[in-house]
Amino acid sequence: MAGSSAVRAAHHTATGCTRLHHPSSSSSSRPRVILPLPARRRGGASLLRPRASLAAAATATATAAPTVGRTATEEAVYEVVLRQAALVQQQQQQRPRWAGEKEDEGLVVGWGLLGDAYDRCGEVCAEYAKTFYLGTQLMTPERRKAVWAIYVWCRRTDELVDGPNASYITPTALDRWEKRLEDLFEGRPYDMYDAALSDTVSKFPVDIQPFKDMIEGMRLDLWKSRYRTFDELYLYCYYVAGTVGLMTVPVMGIAPDSKASAESVYNAALALGIANQLTNILRDVGEDARRGRIYLPLDELAQAGLTEDDIFRGKVTDKWRRFMKGQIQRARLFFDEAEKGVAHLDSASRWPVLASLWLYRQILDAIEANDYNNFTKRAYVGKAKKLLSLPVAYAKAAVAL
Ligand SMILES: CC(C)=CCC/C(C)=C/CC/C(C)=C/CC/C(C)=C/[C@@H]1[C@@H](COP(=O)(O)OP(=O)(O)O)[C@]1(C)CC/C=C(\C)CC/C=C(\C)CCC=C(C)C
Ligand SMILES: [Mn+2]
């Protein structure tokens, strides 16, 4: 919420924590602060990321010993997870604001306009993300519309740096986009899509931080085209994708009869975003290289005996296959972590999440089926497989708890 950046700033002063510097940080735009929280403050194994096994999977063929314990980056991300979980717990103790309310109560624009705004969000979602759209059909109308509004905001944010006008986008434009975000969270939407999201965040316990963090990910994309370590990549994946999990859980809802803690459900949601983005990265290696980008951790490439030039040359060798196997294995571990959380979502939300998880995970199978040629062959899941996943996910979701 509004206090969170202040909390981060206070922590910064108190602890002298690391800052992730980037040239786009103007003095007015808040620099991203990464808190070095005590390594094992919460004790026990990492819920967020079974660090030893994931690192081991990634370095299965390399000589370096796997790192154990959470990194400062993971701790910083985990702080956001905890804050989101706390918000949803508060909501569980109160009556959900939307329950029993008339649709047009407390809105900044009249219901007619707001209804149109949500309809337009639905149309965008249906056009750009057919599977997500289909998945929202089982949800209650309030939840469905809210997911559409979040989807559209995410898509527009990504379009800023990936869309047709991307070459005109500057850090200042992203600062303006962030100001617009703050305005809509305060009930001052700028256009009809913002109005839909503004309404959504007034009805569900959605915090602004994951939205701000997604913009931060887009800032990274403006200047950063290499990731030295998995830790750096993890932070990027949190920004652009893990945040989606944190934005949507308050809308999807946690099952009232679930015994799981809100924290563990948020961790699973975060893991799904990370898994999806890692999968995107593995699928798009060739495409990204053609844009001069390498998202794969450079230290892991080096450990596998690979160089940046190997990526640009794009030749599938045994070294490449071995490297890819490790990367795929790690992405699968994040999917496994995510899948454990699905059962604890509200029953109507399980199916779409499970279906999207399975569909995305199958992209990894497709990379294998392409003999790890992700330089010139796009891994995709065929229509037949997609269609089959939906009823199977539906059946599994129905018996999940
Ligand atoms: C407990 C539990 C498992 C809960 C599930 C929580 C949940 C619903 C998590 C959603 C995870 C998810 C779908 C993450 C999106 C990851 C993603 C694809 C990010 C993309 C980023 C940038 O990628 P890139 O530029 O490399 O790729 P493109 O070539 O541009 O594709 C994004 C594009 C960021 C923007 C994200 C979106 C537009 C998707 C947002 C989706 C929703 C709000 C709907 C989620 C709903 C359902 C039903 C899964
Ligand atoms: Mn994109």
Side-chain angles (χ1 to χ4, degrees), residues 306-379:
L306 293 159
T307 63
E308 291 190 19
D309 274 352
D310 290 318
I311 307 277
F312 292 124
R313 271 195 291 272
K315 194 160 179 292
V316 180
T317 58
D318 280 344
K319 267 188 199 164
W320 178 251
R321 288 187 186 92
R322 258 199 310 277
F323 172 77
M324 279 302 300
K325 279 182 193 170
Q327 301 293 315
I328 288 176
Q329 198 175 343
R330 173 160 59 202
R332 285 196 174 122
L333 288 174
F334 278 98
F335 278 120
D336 294 348
E337 196 72 7
E339 197 165 357
K340 288 183 216 152
V342 177
H344 301 284
L345 289 173
D346 186 83
S347 57
S349 304
R350 282 177 217 152
W351 172 60
V353 171
L354 200 58
S356 84
L357 186 156
W358 284 0
L359 290 176
Y360 245 87
R361 187 162 56 189
Q362 285 180 69
I363 297 175
L364 298 174
D365 305 341
I367 297 173
E368 288 170 340
N370 284 345
D371 191 26
Y372 306 98
N373 180 1
N374 43 6
F375 298 116
T376 56
K377 267 190 175 170
R378 187 171 170 91

Side-chain angles (χ1 to χ4, degrees), residues 102 285 296 345:
K102 286 220 300 291
V285 170
L296 301 165
L345 289 173

